[in-house]
């Protein structure tokens, strides 16, 4: 059902203050809190005693979280440290803890096998901590399977249709974008270039463009996260070939975290290195970014509802689907490895894609084709 041996985004650092923060991740209830040293911790959100959610009015103090029902206290490891009315808790009074890492103002959680959690696999996103960049963030709960959100992020040919009122461009020009896809291990890299096009409003505002631009959209996906570099320069100065010093740069971050089989926690941030002291622009960009992703949300939730009616019915592929095919292949390979380690684990529930001759010659061609 879910890829569990994976680092997922559980939230952004500013969300986690002194009180508990509850999330459902891979259909597991999780509560996060900070200990006395300010370190973030994650436990199963269920008291050992009577099953009450620790987040439902629970208190965090002195490095513990206290159950709101009978006052049992648990430390960051899940060990019960106090049972009111008893001299000491039994040694076996413990709830599950989850590996949780806090980096670049992002809370990363590992919902799978504890001993397989490797912090070196967490991708770096330094723009949240660099004083030369300013960023804003948000989260949407999308009533759709996580795989559908990944599909959406990896295929930008929908921009001119879904986002025609926000970031979409001219359909004819967008359809001629230079596209390449590359798989490196469990990572998919995509490059989408647009030459000699009109600047979108944000880029015109940022750089004061008077003429046409060269624009790039370059992103890297790995299970659970996609990092996206969007930028532009005046046309003809070699911005697509690397001369980007005077260009507009925006660094997007997307955390795609399964909540349940039919819902996803979609975390996003947007960082820029221009007009970083302009608070009004930051507010406008934050509102625009959220409006754009809500346009996606409408389509994805409608898609999920239709697919739920006939989940066995195949989907088909087009030329622009190369990256999402690669991402699905990686996910299926990792899920297969998990199922072999745990034979009773259920099969993935996401909607299938079938490559047929009338839509795309073969899956193998989809892996290697670029234009």
């Amino acid at each position: 059902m879910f890829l569990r041996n994976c680092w997922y985004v559980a939230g952004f650092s500013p969300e986690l203050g002194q009180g508990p923060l509850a999330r459902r991740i891979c259909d597991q209830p999780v509560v996060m809190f900070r200990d006395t040293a300010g370190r973030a911790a994650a436990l199963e959100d269920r008291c050992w005693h009577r099953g009450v959610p620790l987040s439902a009015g629970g208190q965090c103090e002195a490095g513990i979280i206290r159950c709101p029902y009978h006052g049992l206290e648990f430390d960051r490891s899940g060990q019960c440290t106090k049972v009111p009315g008893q001299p000491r808790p039994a040694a076996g009074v413990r709830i599950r803890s989850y590996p949780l890492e806090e980096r670049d103002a992002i809370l990363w959680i590992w919902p799978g096998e504890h001993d397989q959690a490797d912090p070196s696999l967490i991708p770096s996103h330094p723009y949240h901590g660099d004083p030369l960049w300013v960023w804003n963030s948000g989260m949407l709960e999308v009533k759709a399977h996580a795989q559908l959100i990944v599909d959406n992020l990896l295929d930008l040919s929908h921009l001119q249709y879904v986002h025609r009122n926000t970031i979409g461009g001219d359909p004819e020009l967008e359809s001629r974008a230079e596209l390449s896809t590359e798989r490196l291990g469990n990572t998919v890299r995509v490059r989408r270039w647009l030459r000699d096009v009109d600047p979108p409003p944000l880029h015109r505002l940022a750089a004061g463009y008077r003429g046409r631009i060269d624009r790039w959209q370059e992103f890297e996906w790995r299970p659970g996260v996609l990092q996206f570099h969007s930028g532009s320069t005046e046309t003809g100065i070699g911005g697509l070939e690397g001369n980007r010093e005077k260009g507009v740069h925006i660094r997007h971050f997307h955390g795609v975290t399964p909540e349940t089989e039919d819902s996803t926690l979609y975390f996003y941030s947007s960082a820029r290195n221009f007009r970083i002291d302009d608070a009004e622009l930051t507010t406008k960009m934050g509102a625009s970014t959220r409006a754009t992703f809500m346009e996606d949300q409408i389509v994805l939730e409608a898609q999920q509802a239709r697919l739920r009616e006939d989940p066995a019915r195949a989907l088909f592929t087009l030329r622009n689907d190369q990256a999402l095919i690669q991402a699905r292949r990686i996910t299926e390979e990792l899920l297969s490895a998990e199922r072999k380690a745990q034979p009773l684990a259920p099969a993935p529930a996401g909607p299938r894609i079938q490559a047929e001759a009338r839509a795309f010659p073969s899956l193998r061609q989809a892996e290697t084709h670029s234009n």
Side-chain angles (χ1 to χ4, degrees):
M1 187 180 297
F2 308 108
L3 180 63
R4 298 184 186 276
N5 287 329
C6 175
W7 288 106
Y8 288 112
V9 178
F12 292 104
S13 293
E15 294 183 88
L16 187 58
Q18 297 303 311
L21 176 63
R23 291 272 147 83
R24 180 169 290 273
I25 295 174
C26 292
D27 216 12
Q28 302 173 38
V30 173
V31 60
M32 294 175 285
F33 66 101
R34 294 191 183 278
D35 64 15
T36 52
R39 297 175 301 170
L43 303 177
E44 180 183 13
D45 194 10
R46 178 188 171 100
C47 182
W48 171 89
H49 177 216
R50 304 301 295 171
V52 171
L54 296 172
S55 62
Q59 297 175 312
C60 302
E61 59 184 47
I64 59 87
I65 184 168
R66 181 181 300 115
C67 177
Y69 195 12
H70 294 100
L72 277 72
E73 297 179 0
F74 300 89
D75 65 17
R76 61 179 292 111
S77 73
Q79 176 66 49
C80 182
T81 59
K82 180 179 180 180
V83 177
Q86 294 184 198
R88 65 178 67 86
V93 181
R94 175 184 293 273
I95 56 176
R96 181 179 179 182
S97 65
Y98 294 88
L100 189 71
E101 296 284 333
E102 188 170 12
R103 299 186 182 182
D104 301 320
I106 303 166
L107 299 165
W108 296 92
I109 193 168
W110 182 277
E113 298 300 319
H114 202 288
D115 60 357
Q116 295 187 36
D118 182 356
S120 70
L121 299 176
I122 297 174
S124 173
H125 198 75
Y127 313 100
H128 288 171
D130 191 325
L132 299 180
W133 293 74
V134 63
W135 62 285
N136 52 49
S137 63
M139 187 269 283
L140 291 171
E141 185 178 353
V142 182
K143 301 300 183 183
H145 193 281
Q147 187 63 59
L148 297 181
I149 298 178
V150 172
D151 291 351
N152 176 268
L153 289 170
L154 287 173
D155 174 20
L156 297 188
S157 66
H158 74 276
L159 294 185
Q160 59 268 34
Y161 303 105
V162 176
H163 305 299
R164 59 185 180 274
N165 296 322
T166 50
I167 60 173
D170 179 84
E172 181 61 28
L173 291 175
E174 292 277 347
S175 68
R176 297 202 296 266
E178 301 172 30
L179 183 68
S180 68
T181 303
E182 179 183 22
R183 173 177 175 176
L184 297 172
N186 291 331
T187 299
V188 177
R189 292 179 179 173
V190 178
R191 185 192 72 193
R192 190 172 186 266
W193 287 354
L194 295 158
R195 296 181 187 272
D196 193 23
V197 297
D198 288 328
L202 175 60
H203 290 237
R204 185 182 289 112
L205 176 67
Y209 290 127
R210 296 181 180 273
R212 291 163 75 82
I213 63 170
D214 292 336
R215 185 180 178 190
W216 62 86
Q217 296 162 326
E218 299 168 346
F219 44 98
E220 183 172 287
W221 171 89
R222 55 177 53 81
V225 64
L226 182 141
Q227 293 164 288
F228 182 8
H229 181 197
S230 173
S232 63
T233 62
E234 294 180 350
T235 192
I237 69 171
L240 298 182
E241 288 71 37
N243 183 22
R244 301 179 176 181
E245 183 177 350
K246 297 181 180 180
V248 170
H249 297 267
I250 304 174
R251 297 282 183 167
H252 301 280
F253 175 90
H254 305 268
V256 182
T257 303
E259 183 184 39
T260 69
E261 182 179 338
D262 292 335
S263 65
T264 304
L265 302 177
Y266 179 21
F267 299 93
Y268 60 86
S269 76
S270 178
R272 71 180 192 278
N273 66 347
F274 55 88
R275 295 176 58 179
I276 62 174
D277 296 323
D278 190 335
E280 183 179 0
L281 178 60
T282 300
T283 299
K284 288 182 178 179
M285 285 187 63
S288 176
T289 298
R290 188 170 185 85
T292 299
F293 295 151
M294 289 179 71
E295 291 172 337
D296 285 318
Q297 182 176 12
I298 292 170
V299 173
L300 291 165
E301 291 183 350
Q303 181 188 22
Q304 176 69 56
R306 182 65 71 231
L307 293 174
R308 191 183 295 115
E309 295 174 359
D310 189 0
R313 187 171 177 177
L315 306 178
F316 297 92
T317 60
L318 300 174
R319 184 185 64 182
N320 288 321
D321 294 334
Q322 302 159 44
L324 68 89
I325 289 172
Q326 295 281 23
R328 282 172 173 260
R329 182 176 291 274
I330 290 169
T331 301
E332 289 169 1
E333 290 171 359
L334 293 172
L335 278 167
S336 178
E338 283 194 10
R339 289 197 298 271
K340 288 179 180 178
Q342 297 177 325
L344 296 180
R352 298 181 297 111
I353 276 190
Q354 177 175 320
E356 293 193 354
R358 62 180 176 177
F360 207 95
S362 72
L363 204 58
R364 177 61 60 183
Q365 288 186 15
E367 292 178 358
T368 59
H369 177 81
S370 65
N371 70 340

